[in-house]
Structures are given as structure tokens and as C-alpha cells.
Amino acid sequence: MLLKACQCGIQYVTRPKTGLELSFIKSSFHNMPCVAAAHFLILYGSQRGQAQSIAEEICQQAAERGFTADISCLSNQDKYNVDSEIRPVVFVVSTTGDGDPPDTAQKFVRKIKNKSLPQDHFSSLHYALLALGDTNYANFCNGGKIIDSRLQQLGAKHFYATGHADDGTGLEVVVDPWIEGLWDALKKTFSSMATSNQQGTDLRDCIQDNYHKTASDQEKNKSDLEVDLHLLKLSEVDSQKGKTITSDSSDAETLSTTLVASLKQSVPPLSESALNVPAFPASYLEVLLEQAPKEGETLPSDKDGYREVSISKAVRLTQDDAVKSAILLELDISEQNIAYQPGDAFDILCPNRASEVEELLLRLDLQTQKNCAVQVNLLKNSSKKAAKVPLHIPQNASLQFILTWCLEIRSTPKKAFVRALADFTQNGSEKRRLLELCSKEGSADYNSFVRDANVCLLDLLRAFPSCLPPLSLLFEHLPKLQPRAYSAASSSLQHPGKVHFVFNVVEFPACPEHPARTGLCTGWLADHISSILRPPGTVPASEHLGTSALPKVHVRPRPSSTFHLPADSSVPVVMVGPGTGVAPFIGFLQQREKEREANHEGTFGDTWLFFGCRHKNKDFLFREELERFAHNGTLSHLIVCFSRDEPDAVGTINRPTYVQHNLRLHAENIASILLKDKGCLYVCGDAKNMAKDVNDTLLEIIGNELQIDKLDAMKTVAGLREEKRYLQDIWS
């Protein structure tokens, strides 16, 4: 759809794709000689729903473009057979963990990794692959790359260049142009197939020729996109948040007008531009509210692996004047038969904030129906392919329960959701702004004022008062409320029947896009344990309370496959964990301390811990315990730095500020441990800055030690990862 602003509001320059534009697309497509074969398959592997959503969007657009697409999750192997598939296949695959394929793709990956498969096993397969990842993490898009590489090894051929979308900068930056280029690639592929069938030519050669052409087209499109962005930056508009925009008229008498772009309003040229907006997402759910007894109102049960446990202790680890508030929780798991190892994590169920649920109900005029039982059905005449009722929405639960425990109302709305909200907005200027935010031309504004600002549905409803979406739209577009994972900060050898974990209370300061708020889970936990929270060094209140009076939480273990101490205790280890990143290493050291006590004659390798925080006397987490480990020999080397403390009288100008600086100071030891002693390096903490800086420092250390260039150093580090001797537990 193409929209243009005019003085009277919004002018429709062309009809929607359901009209003239779609007719033209279909008629031009049906002139192709291979129309009967315009059938392709979409397979997705998704961890949190991103890949599934994109796959469904491709499927929806396919129908509008005159194609017929079947769609399936990679886990549903009874629904497809890639081994004998003759149609083009489009894969959409996310990445999870330490560069792993998503859980839904694991079975497929194991199948294609079978070493008995011949090299031409997939010689008839022609495919395109869109990989999703995040450059804030190591092994970018590795889930998709694993599948892509193995398919190539087994003789499959691309018909379209692989896309690598970065959630760190915005998936849509790559996803949107990749999907746009997919249709021409498919047209050429089907034409090649029809021609090869008629002339007996080699289809594989046709597909490969087409792949190189489409890859070239993609590069051209990418260049065009970069030119467009460059021109946008050079124009009068700077859409960065809070930037003042001044435009001068071309009249002899200059008139300066000051405009500020924001979530609610745009500035020229966007406010005066024609817009390319996505098609309206097909509705597929019917939501009924009934005054009936509620049946589905229970939290996840034993079958989901969750257990309700008491929080037996809560201690603030930081001083009141610290920049961040860090809290240690002790969970009593003694009656739940839960086993874990240091390095494992625990999923914690948290609800949406009650105040936000109430505000959303009020805003949707559903406050009086919050206790109604909800029934969700599929619309009979929906055009959405493979539509199904979301499994995370229980039938017959109350509306309040679903909004509290099942839907992530804090999630950032995707462009498709913003597009749908626009159609339920009455005010013309508000509708125009929502269309701008989901348009191709408004991508910079969407990134600045929605994505980067962590805007949620409630923020949009506050900003656009005339927007009144139906409940079914929320159920279609809001993702599942996910549990939050926290690393165990203890060893069951040291604390039998207990598990500790540590978290910072995340704070989002007020900004033009939303009010001040705390992180969904960390803020809830802080409120939840406020009655038993004690400052450092005091007796926990829980020791004076009965079990029934203690706050409860639902948890399930999340075992790590690799982030554990080496099985051989003589292997030296280096641990890098600033801030709350030290948590799993407390468990490591508690475990090692008990092992040393039980085996005085055993051989134990050196242990190094690089820790950092802002202030020595404000947020040095686990200081007493770490110093005890260092004193009794459990910890061979405790290396600390404090980024915000002033240097003392004898402080040097080059005093280390961050953990990577201390790594550099001990470069010779680090290189020796990793390269000569076959030791292990563990990194835990912030992915966006710390983990990247540590990785860069490691490349530098190895390059200098081995006297090799950066490329060879990268290969050496990749080898450490492959051998599971360079392990990360990081988050953004």
C-alpha cells in the first residue's frame, strides 16, 4: 500500500494489494510458464517465536504474490520430507544459547548430521535460508549457519542468497529486503524449472545460475538501501531521538521552523512522504468472553518441570548508595528433588505487573469483564495459512489471568502489530503516525522511538488515545510471557537442599516514550521479597518466619550442556565475571572448596578469577567469600578492578579499569593456560560490551603470544570454542 500525506489528512495514492496492485502482481506472475508448479515449502526453527512469525509473514505474502506455500515447524517431521522434496524450500532459523539451533530444530539437525548420509543426499534440494541472530553474542546466526553448511555438504543448492538478520540492530533491516527479493528469486526458479522440464536441461545448473543472479541483485538492493539511508542522513531530517530539526524555506526571506521528531510525531520529509506499508496482517482468532466458571486458571504444573518453592533468604549485596541494587536469593528446594550443578541456570516464572494489567484492561474498556472466562477459536474464513490457536493461551481462564501470566504485554510491538493497530485508530494524524512507524520510509523512527526505546503496547496506547484494538488482535500479536533464567550462584555440596542466585534490579528511567519502570522479573522479585529483604551482614528475617509465611516462586532447572567445571580437576581454569557475572563462579569455587576438603591428595589446577565492579566499598559482590577462597587456596588468583574509584595516592595513571585491562596485564599467564596447559576460559556477564571487549583482548593476547595475524588468532579462538575450552554465559 502506498500512502501520501496531504492537507486534508491521508491520501491513498494506489489501491491496497487486495485490489489493483495485487491483480497486477498476480496477472504478471501467471504469465510465467511454470504457474502450475508455483508451490514452495517454508520450514522454520524458532525458540521464542521470532522465526515462526517471519515464516508466517512470508507465507502470507506468498498468497498475495500468487504463490502457494505450505508451512511447517522443523520439529513436525511427519509434515514434510526434505529428503525427497522437489519444490523450493525456504528455511527461517533462529539461534539460541551459545550459537545453537533452536530446540524445535534440534531433531532436524541431528538427522542431517548423520555421518552415513552420502554427499549427494540432498542433490535434488533447492533452498533459501534466512538466519536470525544477534551480534551482541558470539556465534552470530550460528543456528542457521549449521543447517546451511550441512545442506551444502550434502549437495543441496541455493536458489537465493542466505540472509543473516541481526536482532542487535533490528531484524527488519535485513528481513524486509530479503523477503522483498525472495519473490523474484522464486519466479526465476520456477521459470528455470519449467524451462528445464521442457528442454531437458540440468535444473541444478539453472538454479545455481539463478542463485548468482539473485545474490548480485541483493547486493545491488543493499547498495540502493545504503544510498537511500545516506541521502536521508544528508537531508533536513535527523530522526535521532531528541534532536532538534531546523528547515529553511527557499523563499528570499528565510523562515526557520523548529520541529522535534518523537514517538507521536514525525518531521519532514517523512511527514510529507508517500509510504510503503506492510499489508494488513490477516486476522485469525475469535475471542469470546463468558460469565462462566473458570477452569484453566493454573500456573504451569509438574508436567512443565516447574516447582513452587519458598524463598528462604533475601540479602542485598550492595550498599544503599550503589548505582545498582544487587540481591541474593536463597531458594529452598529440599522437598522438590531438584538436582543441579554449578553453571546450571533456573527458569523463574514472573507475572506482568498488576498495575499495568489493570491499566490495559481499563484502556480496552474491559475492566468489568476481567473475571470472565476466555474462549479462543479460529476464525472460519481466515486467510492466514496454518493458523492455530496459540498453545500458551489456556481455554476458559479469566481474562485477567491470561494478561497477567500468559502474554508478554511488555514486549516491543513488531511492525506488523503496529500496522494492525493503525487500522483501529480513529484520529487521522495518529493513524498516519502509526503507519509511518511501520513503513519502510519510517524505519529509522521505528528504531529510535519504538525498538531502541523499549516501547510496549501500553506506551503506544498512551501515545495514541484513539487507538482501540480488539482483544483478538492482542492475542494474535503479543508473544508468550517467557520465564527469566538466572545462573545458580551456589553448589549443592556447600548448600544442600538450597540454590542461590543473584540479580540486579533493572531500572528503565523515564523518557519521552514511557514512564520510569523496573525490569519485569527483577522488579517483581524485588517487590515480592521486600518483607524478608535484609541489608548486608544482618540476620535474614526468614530465620524467624515459618515456611508458610515465606514468599514463593515457581522455578525449573535449566541444565547447561557445557558451562561446568572440567571433569578433570587438574585442568586450570580462568573465570571472567564482573558484577553479577560472578554468580556461577561462586558456585564453581564452592564446589572446588568442598572437593579439596574431601580429597587432600588430589591434584587441582590453578583457578583465576577476574572480577570488576564500580566501587570497592559499594558493590564488590561476595567480597568476604572470595577473599576466603583466596586465603585457603581454593582460588589461586583473585584479580579485581574498580572502574569508578579514584586512584589512591600511589595509584598509577594506567590503573586497570575493566576486566579486559587486567587480562592484558596477565597476558602471558592467560596464553600459557590456554595454549600450553589446555586450560579453560569461562566468561559470564554483559554481552554487548564486556564479552566483546574480553573476546577482542583474547584475540590480541593470542596473536601476540603466537606471533600471528588477527585472522589466524580468530581461527585459534574458534578452535578453543570448538573444544569447549572457551565458554560463555552472557546476556544483553
Side-chain angles (χ1 to χ4, degrees):
M1 184 185 294
L2 196 62
L3 305 176
K4 186 170 74 175
C6 60
Q7 291 182 342
C8 60
I10 300 176
Q11 175 188 350
Y12 289 79
V13 179
T14 63
R15 295 170 65 188
K17 283 182 180 176
T18 52
L20 181 62
E21 186 180 0
L22 183 55
S23 298
F24 173 76
I25 291 172
K26 286 185 176 179
S27 64
S28 62
F29 178 80
H30 285 303
N31 287 329
M32 294 193 313
C34 56
V35 61
H39 233 98
F40 71 99
L41 175 64
I42 303 169
L43 298 174
Y44 63 84
S46 191
Q47 188 72 20
R48 291 195 160 198
Q50 294 263 48
Q52 179 180 351
S53 177
I54 291 168
E56 290 173 348
E57 174 65 20
I58 293 172
C59 189
Q60 184 69 29
Q61 288 193 33
E64 298 171 1
R65 302 273 182 166
F67 296 93
T68 301
D70 294 325
I71 183 171
S72 176
C73 178
L74 281 166
S75 62
N76 299 327
Q77 295 194 14
D78 58 325
K79 301 287 181 66
Y80 65 92
N81 186 0
V82 176
D83 296 10
S84 58
E85 185 60 66
I86 60 172
R87 297 171 295 175
V89 179
V90 174
F91 292 89
V92 184
V93 184
S94 64
T95 299
T96 189
D98 192 19
D100 301 317
D103 294 342
T104 55
Q106 291 287 357
K107 193 173 180 180
F108 176 78
V109 170
R110 286 195 297 271
K111 180 180 177 181
I112 65 174
K113 279 190 170 182
N114 187 331
K115 293 182 179 180
S116 67
L117 295 176
Q119 290 186 348
D120 62 348
H121 184 73
F122 288 125
S123 60
S124 298
L125 179 64
H126 310 287
Y127 75 99
L129 190 144
L130 177 61
L132 312 182
D134 189 331
T135 48
N136 289 317
Y137 295 83
N139 299 318
F140 172 61
C141 283
N142 201 52
K145 289 176 180 178
I146 288 172
I147 293 175
D148 200 10
S149 174
R150 185 56 177 160
L151 292 178
Q152 291 283 296
Q153 290 172 5
L154 296 175
K157 297 295 181 184
H158 292 111
F159 71 83
Y160 183 45
T162 298
H164 299 98
D166 180 10
D167 200 29
T169 57
L171 292 174
E172 67 281 352
V173 174
V174 169
V175 171
D176 290 351
W178 191 88
I179 294 176
E180 190 63 33
L182 175 65
W183 311 121
D184 279 342
L186 281 167
K187 286 181 186 180
K188 293 173 184 177
T189 299
F190 286 124
S191 295
S192 299
M193 292 169 71
T195 302
S196 65
N197 288 339
Q198 292 167 7
Q199 300 177 358
T201 56
D202 190 287
L203 175 59
R204 293 165 64 82
D205 292 339
C206 292
I207 297 293
Q208 274 306 95
D209 289 345
N210 180 43
Y211 164 70
H212 291 303
K213 289 176 184 175
T214 53
S216 176
D217 291 343
Q218 270 195 298
E219 287 302 314
K220 181 180 183 298
N221 291 339
K222 182 180 178 183
S223 298
D224 291 343
L225 178 62
E226 289 173 349
V227 170
D228 290 344
L229 292 173
H230 181 62
L231 291 174
L232 180 61
K233 291 174 183 175
L234 294 177
S235 68
E236 295 176 355
V237 178
D238 184 341
S239 61
Q240 292 182 8
K241 194 168 23 178
K243 201 86 169 183
T244 300
I245 315 298
T246 304
S247 61
D248 298 327
S249 70
S250 57
D251 298 335
E253 183 179 353
T254 302
L255 175 64
S256 294
T257 306
T258 302
L259 300 173
V260 179
S262 69
L263 176 63
K264 297 181 181 181
Q265 70 173 25
S266 60
V267 296
L270 178 59
S271 60
E272 300 169 352
S273 298
L275 302 175
N276 288 290
V277 301
F280 182 82
S283 298
Y284 65 98
L285 292 181
E286 175 188 53
V287 179
L288 303 176
L289 299 178
E290 301 175 353
Q291 294 286 351
K294 298 174 284 296
E295 301 170 6
E297 201 161 304
T298 56
L299 290 176
S301 60
D302 291 354
K303 65 183 176 64
D304 301 299
Y306 286 98
R307 301 286 191 275
E308 185 181 56
V309 300
S310 298
I311 301 176
S312 51
K313 182 165 67 176
V315 179
R316 184 183 294 110
L317 300 181
T318 50
Q319 300 300 316
D320 290 340
D321 56 348
V323 175
K324 293 182 178 180
S325 176
I327 296 173
L328 177 140
L329 298 187
E330 179 182 84
L331 309 185
D332 186 348
I333 59 174
S334 57
E335 298 180 1
Q336 298 298 336
N337 193 29
I338 297 176
Y340 73 96
Q341 297 182 58
D344 289 347
F346 279 76
D347 282 338
I348 293 185
L349 285 182
C350 68
N352 289 306
R353 305 307 287 267
S355 59
E356 293 174 12
V357 172
E358 286 298 314
E359 183 181 354
L360 183 58
L361 287 165
L362 184 64
R363 181 65 176 74
L364 299 176
D365 198 23
L366 292 170
Q367 198 173 32
T368 59
Q369 297 172 279
K370 65 183 180 181
N371 294 318
C372 287
V374 175
Q375 185 71 37
V376 185
N377 305 311
L378 287 177
L379 285 174
K380 293 180 180 178
N381 299 320
S382 174
S383 61
K384 182 179 175 65
K385 291 273 289 184
K388 57 184 178 182
V389 175
L391 296 177
H392 58 271
I393 301 178
Q395 299 285 13
N396 300 314
S398 72
L399 177 58
Q400 185 171 38
F401 177 84
I402 290 172
L403 292 179
T404 301
W405 288 100
C406 305
L407 299 175
E408 185 110 37
I409 65 175
R410 280 271 194 97
S411 64
T412 299
K414 296 185 175 67
K415 285 188 176 183
F417 194 8
V418 178
R419 170 66 184 88
L421 290 172
D423 265 37
F424 296 96
T425 303
Q426 302 303 312
N427 180 277
S429 60
E430 291 181 9
K431 181 172 184 175
R432 161 75 193 194
R433 182 54 176 155
L434 286 170
L435 290 170
E436 288 173 350
L437 290 171
C438 70
S439 71
K440 179 180 179 182
E441 294 75 14
S443 289
D445 274 21
Y446 174 84
N447 288 336
S448 293
F449 304 119
V450 179
R451 184 179 176 277
D452 296 345
N454 292 311
V455 159
C456 66
L457 172 63
L458 261 178
D459 300 323
L460 288 181
L461 295 179
R462 294 184 192 113
F464 303 100
S466 73
C467 180
L468 190 63
L471 190 59
S472 59
L473 197 71
L474 274 62
F475 282 25
E476 290 169 356
H477 288 275
L478 287 173
K480 177 185 178 181
L481 179 56
Q482 298 285 351
R484 271 49 174 177
Y486 295 91
S487 299
S490 57
S491 164
S492 57
L493 295 182
Q494 188 92 273
H495 299 280
K498 312 286 187 183
V499 63
H500 296 176
F501 69 85
V502 183
F503 64 92
N504 282 326
V505 180
V506 178
E507 296 185 357
F508 299 99
C511 64
E513 292 78 27
H514 62 71
R517 54 194 178 213
T518 55
L520 185 62
C521 190
T522 62
W524 172 72
L525 283 172
D527 291 343
H528 195 50
I529 51 87
S530 59
S531 62
I532 64 169
L533 180 65
R534 290 295 179 266
T538 59
V539 177
S542 57
E543 293 186 4
H544 308 292
L545 295 174
T547 303
S548 61
L550 295 173
K552 306 288 195 297
V553 67
H554 285 81
V555 301
R556 70 178 176 193
R558 188 175 182 173
S560 171
S561 59
T562 57
F563 203 86
H564 296 138
L565 280 168
D568 181 354
S569 63
S570 67
V571 173
V573 297
V574 177
M575 299 165 283
V576 182
T580 56
V582 75
F585 305 134
I586 296 298
F588 280 17
L589 293 167
Q590 288 179 0
Q591 183 93 352
R592 181 57 58 86
E593 184 178 49
K594 286 298 182 181
E595 290 172 347
R596 284 164 54 89
E597 290 175 1
N599 186 6
H600 294 289
E601 304 302 319
T603 302
F604 296 92
D606 278 359
T607 50
W608 292 66
L609 174 65
F610 291 83
F611 174 80
C613 61
R614 289 176 176 81
H615 301 283
K616 182 177 182 178
N617 295 321
K618 295 181 181 180
D619 51 7
F620 189 166
L621 308 184
F622 300 101
R623 179 177 178 178
E624 293 79 6
E625 191 166 8
L626 289 173
E627 290 176 345
R628 188 189 84 235
F629 290 143
H631 179 72
N632 66 25
T634 301
L635 181 56
S636 310
H637 304 274
L638 174 60
I639 315 297
V640 298
C641 56
F642 311 102
S643 61
R644 306 289 174 86
D645 279 344
E646 293 294 329
D648 55 32
V650 295
T652 62
I653 296 176
N654 295 321
R655 177 179 62 95
T657 305
Y658 300 110
V659 287
Q660 63 268 23
H661 299 149
N662 268 329
L663 284 171
R664 196 173 287 119
L665 289 177
H666 296 272
E668 188 175 337
N669 299 104
I670 302 302
S672 178
I673 289 171
L674 295 177
L675 301 176
K676 297 178 183 177
D677 302 332
K678 303 301 180 183
C680 296
L681 171 64
Y682 300 86
V683 180
C684 183
D686 167 49
K688 189 170 290 186
N689 298 307
M690 183 277 296
K692 280 186 175 180
D693 292 338
V694 167
N695 189 74
D696 290 344
T697 302
L698 181 60
L699 290 172
E700 178 186 324
I701 289 172
I702 288 177
N704 291 338
E705 176 67 18
L706 298 180
Q707 293 296 295
I708 55 178
D709 61 21
K710 186 173 183 179
L711 180 59
D712 286 334
M714 291 172 70
K715 291 178 181 177
T716 303
V717 169
L720 293 175
R721 291 186 187 277
E722 196 70 27
E723 296 169 12
K724 306 301 181 186
R725 294 199 295 114
Y726 176 18
L727 298 160
Q728 293 179 309
D729 177 6
I730 56 178
W731 59 85
S732 60

